Amino acid sequence: MIKIMTEKEYNFFFLMGKFFASRKFIKEMDCQLYSNEDMLWYIYFNKEGKICGFASLEDNEKYSMLDNFLVLEEYRNKGIGKEILDHIVNDVIEKDIRLISRNPIAIKMFKERGFEITGHNGRYEKMIKKIK
């Protein structure tokens, strides 16, 4: 199940704060999270109510920026990342979606979902999905 939240919601940090502080999360997230209170967070919960993965989406006047995309290692290769990404792509109907990634597996998944590489930023690939 995917729940969409913002940091403004009362229970966001109740749910995510403990998760962000967990050793499992810190071990797997190799960079600092980017955050602001207007981002939409797409949080994937399994049947037991455990957080398996998430991504965030930030809108500006020209495009939406996909960021903080993570599926915990024990839940990978089960379609969770694709489900989160499909949910986001289906929600964004007016603006292009941009992202940067250096993860080859994620880049492959993004390409399968219609994202194109537009350039490079150091070790990162810049990608975009054009929305009609």
Side-chain angles (χ1 to χ4, degrees), residues 60-81:
N60 67 36
E61 292 178 14
K62 297 179 181 178
Y63 58 87
S64 295
M65 187 71 182
L66 178 61
D67 207 350
N68 302 316
F69 201 103
L70 175 74
V71 175
L72 291 173
E73 186 174 16
E74 65 192 273
Y75 300 107
R76 291 180 189 153
N77 301 310
K78 298 179 186 329
I80 292 170

Side-chain angles (χ1 to χ4, degrees), residues 10-128:
Y10 170 75
N11 61 346
F12 177 82
F13 285 106
F14 177 77
L15 287 171
M16 297 301 289
K18 188 175 180 181
F19 177 76
F20 290 153
S22 73
R23 289 180 187 210
K24 182 186 295 186
F25 170 75
I26 292 168
K27 177 183 166 201
E28 291 195 37
M29 193 68 173
D30 66 348
C31 60
Q32 190 172 13
L33 286 175
Y34 171 72
S35 179
N36 79 45
E37 64 183 20
D38 294 321
M39 285 180 151
L40 291 178
W41 287 84
Y42 291 75
I43 307 164
Y44 187 99
F45 294 88
N46 67 10
K47 292 176 185 175
E48 292 80 38
K50 292 184 180 180
I51 297 171
C52 303
F54 58 85
S56 63
L57 191 70
E58 180 179 24
D59 278 334
N60 67 36
E61 292 178 14
K62 297 179 181 178
Y63 58 87
S64 295
M65 187 71 182
L66 178 61
D67 207 350
N68 302 316
F69 201 103
L70 175 74
V71 175
L72 291 173
E73 186 174 16
E74 65 192 273
Y75 300 107
R76 291 180 189 153
N77 301 310
K78 298 179 186 329
I80 292 170
K82 291 177 183 177
E83 191 172 336
I84 293 169
L85 184 58
D86 288 346
H87 199 103
I88 291 169
V89 168
N90 289 332
D91 278 358
V92 178
I93 57 172
E94 297 177 1
K95 300 177 186 174
D96 294 343
I97 303 171
R98 296 184 183 186
L99 63 90
I100 61 171
S101 180
R102 65 179 181 175
N103 180 322
I105 295 168
I107 290 168
K108 181 180 179 220
M109 178 185 67
F110 295 134
K111 284 181 176 179
E112 289 171 354
R113 297 297 191 272
F115 285 79
E116 299 173 0
I117 295 175
T118 60
H120 309 283
N121 184 0
R123 300 179 294 169
Y124 293 87
E125 302 287 351
K126 294 180 183 180
M127 301 185 81
I128 189 168

